[in-house]
Amino acid sequence: MPSKSTSAKKSKPAADEEIVAAEEMPVESAKPKKATKGKVLSLIEDEKPKSRGARKEGSTGLPPLGATKPVAVEEPKKEEAPAAPAKPTLDERKAAALNLFEDDEKPKVRRRPADPAAQQSALPPISLLMEDTTPKPIVPIVHAPPADLPKPEFEVGESGEKIIHLKPPIVVKDLADKMGLKPFKIISDLIAFKVFASADKAIDIEIAEKICEKHGFKLEREKREKGAGVHKVEEVIVEPEPQVVEEVEKDKLELRAPIITFMGHVDHGKTSLLDALRKTQVASGEAGGITQHIGAYSITHNGKPITFIDTPGHAAFSAMRARGANVTDIVVLIIAADDGIMPQTKEALAHAKAAGVQLMVAINKCDLPTANVMRVKSQLQDIGLAPVDWGGEIETLEVSARSGAGLDDLLETMSLQAEVLELKADPKATPRATVIESSMVAGKGPVATVIVGQGTLKVGQPFICGPYWGKVKALVDDRGESIKEVLPGRPCEVIGFSDMPNVGDEVVVMKSERDVKRLSEERLEELRQKKLHVPRRSTLEHLFASIEEGNKKSLKLVLKCDVQGSVEATAKCLTDIKSDKINLDILHKEVGPINESDILLASASDAVVIGFNVKVENKALTTAKAEGVQVKLYSIIYELIDQVREAMAGLLDPVTREKVLGHARVKQVFKVTKGYVGGSVVTDGRMERKQRARVLRNGQAVYDGGFETLRRFHDEVGEVRNGLECGIKLNGFSDYEENDVIECYELEKIPQTL
């Protein structure tokens, strides 16, 4: 190739020097080189003529690179090389070729013209990168400052000991900080106690005390307060007490909306009357109402709000009263003019009396041709509700839901009754509201309709409601619009309960969400514990014990009889029982069988149901068993009165006293098919088969039970008198011995009187 030939010619003088040096070297060292490089030399010789011949054929007239006289030098060499191979010129070329090959094995340094720009852009050789011989400045070694150790936190005791105060759980890092040590030192000490823990793990108090003692400290679990012990009194979270209106300053009280409940028989137009009131308000432009399923709404009459509660059934009203929720201020008893007083009307009246609220009567359907208002008023007079126009105290109004007659008078009378009652509340007190109805709404969760009793209910307030807690997320008024606050006496829909509350429970606002959650957990735990215990209702058998404990001061009854005469006679006899210790309170008296409504009334009032010549409905039996209400049935009126009198005196069971009837002595023991029989002689009194007997042996009773057989000869007799022989076999007793005494006695029940 042209590059190789030019380089060979350039290095010819150097090759001559190498040949001389090679001749001076030993033969052993020179021969291997020539032997190993023979093939290379022959290839060089073969390639040179081909390259030159090709150059001649395609010659351009230019001399080879680096040769001054190409024709004079190259042609003689081509002719002399095959003819005289031993000439020095050939050897010199071989030596030069060998020298070139040896140089190829060595790393060559390419020497290029000095170009400042190229030198700056080229990378330095690897050798320069590996070995940096440039002198470096001596940098002094600067040690990092030691980390500041935490300052120990301790108190010096009276004896000079270092006291550390920590509350469990004791974390390794906290313990190290208190002692002013690094956590790894505490960890190394824990390993000695075979405890492997990291800095953020808690350790036992006993181990912590040993480690503190090792480092000269003393561990106390909690810091002592002056004049107090070591143990800290746990904070007891208590629900705020309801505000007593009489104890509040008059300047803080404001008039609130009256809460009115409509009650009555199913078909007497109660719901129609409520709809008529709503339509009246809608026509006047002052309408608004919560939807029907919520059960409460409010209207405005003469600029004053009035809240209504719709009670289609009486179970909810009883449940509210059972939980002590006296929400209603006024009860309006709806009676149809064509039907008069019906059984459901009397039951509603019993609910109203038990709640102890103001009562009004509205005689509906007065526009019908069959209406008889005078008959209704006469019936009211008979049951103790004398109308005002008849000289009584019960406001009685004639209205018609269909024609709208008397509705304005009804609203006006209700407003006057509210003014007379002077219903006031403190809007700045701790908010309390009563749940009227609750349900589970998709998208909202547990939702409850409440009526605010005191204070102002606002959005964002945490509250406790029975065993459940919550936070007011939203308030919806009677028009379905979101509001920020609700004043006392007004209904609203509350969203934000943790679970669906019970009807009648109170929503009580507290200071912090943490307190309501903790109180809810405590109440739920109490409910879990009480699930195993059935609540004990008032029963005739436990009344005396209740009086001793001071838990009961009155006996409440629900009386049901077969005819009206029996109801009046029984109620009069029970009322005539006088006692300074116990009061008798008849909540409801009615003719007919005992039904589910009677059981619910008794359950809500903690009363006893008494039936005279009546039966109990199947549904009422199931409800009584579930509610734990006692039902007593009698067929003799005197027995009923005596039992109630004994219950009022506190004697559940009559006093039992033994009366000895006679004795018999065993003369001989006989074996029979079914055991043994004592052949005896009656020594005094008599032996009666229906009474009880005991076996006396050496003055000690060895058996007490009843007679199985009492025979004289082979005949079964009911009685054996003094001086006669008989065979006595007692129930389950066969260990008779001679001279045993069989004592016959009876149990007398002596009733107690007041």
Side-chain angles (χ1 to χ4, degrees):
M1 296 174 63
S3 61
K4 282 190 177 183
S5 62
T6 54
S7 63
K9 289 182 180 180
K10 273 187 175 184
S11 60
K12 187 175 181 180
D16 295 340
E17 294 176 2
E18 292 292 338
I19 292 171
V20 176
E23 289 177 352
E24 293 177 356
M25 289 175 62
V27 180
E28 295 80 10
S29 61
K31 282 183 180 181
K33 290 184 178 180
K34 292 182 179 180
T36 55
K37 309 301 179 181
K39 294 182 180 181
V40 178
L41 293 177
S42 63
L43 289 172
I44 293 173
E45 292 175 358
D46 295 337
E47 289 175 0
K48 284 182 179 179
K50 293 179 181 179
S51 62
R52 287 174 183 174
R55 189 177 287 119
K56 285 180 180 181
E57 292 176 0
S59 177
T60 58
L62 295 176
L65 185 62
T68 56
K69 297 178 180 181
V71 178
V73 176
E74 294 292 340
E75 289 181 356
K77 284 182 181 180
K78 184 179 178 182
E79 294 175 356
E80 293 177 0
K87 288 183 179 182
T89 57
L90 183 60
D91 295 334
E92 290 176 358
R93 289 200 306 260
K94 292 180 179 181
L98 182 61
N99 188 24
L100 286 173
F101 185 79
E102 290 178 352
D103 292 341
D104 289 340
E105 292 180 351
K106 298 179 181 180
K108 295 180 181 181
V109 179
R110 296 182 181 181
R111 302 183 183 276
R112 297 181 181 180
D115 188 0
Q119 289 181 359
Q120 290 179 1
S121 61
L123 292 174
I126 298 177
S127 61
L128 295 178
L129 293 175
M130 298 296 293
E131 298 178 2
D132 191 4
T133 58
T134 58
K136 296 181 180 179
I138 301 173
V139 181
I141 300 174
V142 180
H143 297 282
D148 295 336
L149 293 174
K151 295 181 180 180
E153 300 177 7
F154 59 87
E155 293 181 0
V156 180
E158 297 178 356
S159 59
E161 55 188 2
K162 300 177 182 179
I163 302 175
I164 296 175
H165 301 283
L166 273 178
K167 296 180 181 180
I170 298 177
V171 183
V172 173
K173 187 177 183 303
D174 297 341
L175 183 61
D177 293 342
K178 288 287 185 179
M179 292 191 294
L181 301 175
K182 290 288 187 180
F184 73 87
K185 292 186 178 180
I186 305 298
I187 293 173
S188 62
D189 294 338
L190 289 173
I191 294 175
F193 291 102
K194 297 182 180 181
V195 177
F196 302 94
S198 57
D200 58 346
K201 297 297 183 181
I203 58 176
D204 294 337
I205 296 178
E206 292 76 10
I207 300 296
E209 290 176 350
K210 294 179 181 179
I211 291 176
C212 291
E213 185 178 355
K214 179 180 179 181
H215 292 279
F217 294 91
K218 182 180 179 181
L219 178 64
E220 288 189 0
R221 300 186 181 183
E222 289 183 349
K223 186 176 180 180
R224 285 192 181 95
E225 297 180 0
K226 291 184 178 180
V230 176
H231 299 286
K232 182 180 178 181
V233 179
E234 294 185 1
E235 181 184 1
V236 179
I237 300 175
V238 182
E239 177 183 309
E241 293 293 332
Q243 189 182 58
V244 181
V245 180
E246 290 78 8
E247 299 178 359
V248 183
E249 299 178 3
K250 294 183 179 180
D251 299 337
K252 297 181 180 180
L253 296 177
E254 297 180 4
L255 288 175
R256 64 172 177 85
I259 303 170
I260 301 174
T261 301
F262 279 18
M263 302 181 67
H265 196 67
V266 177
D267 298 328
H268 282 196
K270 175 176 60 67
T271 305
S272 300
L273 188 60
L274 294 175
D275 292 338
L277 290 174
R278 283 198 293 264
K279 290 176 183 178
T280 303
Q281 296 301 319
V282 170
S284 61
E286 301 174 355
I290 293 178
T291 54
Q292 188 69 24
H293 68 277
I294 293 180
Y297 58 91
S298 64
I299 63 175
T300 304
H301 178 69
N302 294 334
K304 297 180 181 179
I306 300 176
T307 300
F308 289 97
I309 299 177
D310 188 8
T311 57
H314 304 287
F317 192 76
S318 298
M320 284 190 293
R321 187 169 48 78
R323 295 175 178 88
N326 294 322
V327 181
T328 303
D329 300 318
I330 301 173
V331 172
V332 178
L333 191 63
I334 309 298
I335 303 174
D338 56 344
D339 287 343
I341 296 178
M342 301 294 286
Q344 197 79 2
T345 308
K346 296 179 180 179
E347 182 182 335
L349 179 61
H351 284 295
K353 285 184 176 180
V357 296
Q358 185 68 30
L359 182 64
M360 293 175 55
V361 177
I363 303 176
N364 195 15
K365 302 181 180 181
C366 292
D367 57 337
L368 296 178
T370 57
N372 190 348
V373 179
M374 298 303 295
R375 182 171 66 91
V376 175
K377 290 184 178 181
S378 177
Q379 291 176 345
L380 290 173
Q381 181 75 27
D382 294 339
I383 63 175
L385 300 179
V388 174
D389 52 356
W390 284 25
E393 298 179 355
I394 303 299
E395 291 287 347
T396 305
L397 302 174
E398 300 176 10
V399 297
S400 174
R402 180 174 298 179
S403 63
L407 295 181
D408 293 336
D409 294 340
L410 178 62
L411 291 174
E412 188 67 27
T413 305
M414 289 187 293
S415 300
L416 291 175
Q417 289 284 350
E419 291 180 5
V420 171
L421 294 175
E422 293 184 355
L423 303 173
K424 295 183 179 181
D426 184 7
K428 296 183 180 179
T430 302
R432 298 177 77 95
T434 304
V435 177
I436 302 300
E437 185 177 338
S438 61
S439 60
M440 190 72 67
V441 181
K444 294 182 180 180
V447 176
T449 303
V450 302
I451 293 182
V452 181
Q454 69 177 36
T456 304
L457 190 62
K458 299 179 181 179
V459 176
Q461 292 177 333
F463 61 85
I464 186 76
C465 183
Y468 308 114
W469 68 277
K471 188 175 182 180
V472 182
K473 296 181 181 178
L475 294 173
V476 182
D477 64 356
D478 52 2
R479 293 175 295 275
E481 299 177 358
S482 297
I483 54 177
K484 297 297 182 182
E485 60 182 22
V486 183
L487 295 175
R490 304 298 294 271
C492 68
E493 185 181 77
V494 179
I495 302 173
F497 288 85
S498 62
D499 203 341
M500 192 166 62
N502 299 318
V503 175
D505 287 349
E506 269 196 316
V507 175
V508 182
V509 175
M510 299 182 67
K511 294 182 179 179
S512 64
E513 190 173 346
R514 181 184 63 87
D515 292 345
V516 296
K517 287 183 179 180
R518 184 175 172 185
L519 185 59
S520 174
E521 292 175 358
E522 293 177 358
R523 292 183 176 182
L524 288 174
E525 183 62 27
E526 291 179 1
L527 288 178
R528 295 189 193 100
Q529 297 296 331
K530 289 181 179 179
K531 281 183 179 179
L532 300 177
H533 302 86
V534 179
R536 190 179 68 180
R537 300 288 182 181
S538 294
T539 59
L540 297 180
E541 288 77 14
H542 294 90
L543 186 60
F544 185 73
S546 299
I547 292 175
E548 289 182 349
E549 296 173 1
N551 296 331
K552 280 290 178 185
K553 296 297 181 181
S554 64
L555 175 62
K556 300 178 181 180
L557 299 177
V558 175
L559 182 62
K560 298 299 288 287
C561 299
D562 54 349
V563 293
Q564 187 66 30
S566 299
V567 173
E568 296 176 357
T570 306
K572 186 177 183 302
C573 293
L574 294 176
T575 308
D576 291 340
I577 300 176
K578 303 296 181 181
S579 175
D580 297 333
K581 300 178 181 179
I582 303 175
N583 296 326
L584 182 64
D585 188 7
I586 302 177
L587 297 180
H588 178 53
K589 52 185 178 181
E590 182 55 45
V591 177
I594 299 174
N595 52 32
E596 186 181 8
S597 299
D598 301 325
I599 302 299
L600 292 176
L601 178 62
S603 174
S605 306
D606 202 8
V608 179
V609 180
I610 293 179
F612 179 69
N613 286 334
V614 294
K615 296 182 180 180
V616 184
E617 295 180 356
N618 294 332
K619 195 171 183 180
L621 282 174
T622 306
T623 307
K625 187 175 181 181
E627 295 290 337
V629 177
Q630 186 184 26
V631 179
K632 287 281 188 178
L633 300 178
Y634 299 93
S635 58
I636 302 175
I637 188 171
Y638 302 108
E639 182 181 353
L640 185 153
I641 296 172
D642 292 342
Q643 286 283 337
V644 173
R645 183 182 287 109
E646 291 175 3
M648 291 181 63
L651 297 176
L652 279 312
D653 297 325
V655 175
T656 303
R657 185 175 60 185
E658 291 184 5
K659 180 180 179 181
V660 178
L661 299 178
H663 296 84
R665 185 176 297 276
V666 178
K667 293 294 185 180
Q668 189 175 357
V669 180
F670 301 95
K671 185 176 183 346
V672 294
T673 306
K674 297 182 180 180
Y676 293 87
V677 174
S680 308
V681 176
V682 179
T683 57
D684 62 84
R686 65 185 184 276
M687 296 283 114
E688 292 186 6
R689 187 180 182 279
K690 295 182 180 181
Q691 304 300 332
R692 298 179 61 84
R694 63 169 59 95
V695 179
L696 301 177
R697 185 175 298 163
N698 299 326
Q700 298 293 329
V702 296
Y703 173 78
D704 192 341
F707 286 90
E708 183 176 344
T709 58
L710 178 62
R711 294 190 177 186
R712 180 165 172 76
F713 300 105
H714 294 284
D715 300 329
E716 186 77 25
V717 295
E719 178 181 317
V720 179
R721 293 189 173 275
N722 184 19
L724 300 178
E725 295 181 350
C726 61
I728 299 175
K729 188 176 189 306
L730 302 178
N731 290 326
F733 183 76
S734 299
D735 189 17
Y736 297 99
E737 293 184 2
E738 293 184 3
N739 297 324
D740 282 348
V741 176
I742 299 177
E743 182 181 67
C744 180
Y745 66 93
E746 67 175 346
L747 296 176
E748 289 184 339
K749 294 183 179 180
I750 302 176
Q752 296 288 334
T753 58
L754 293 175

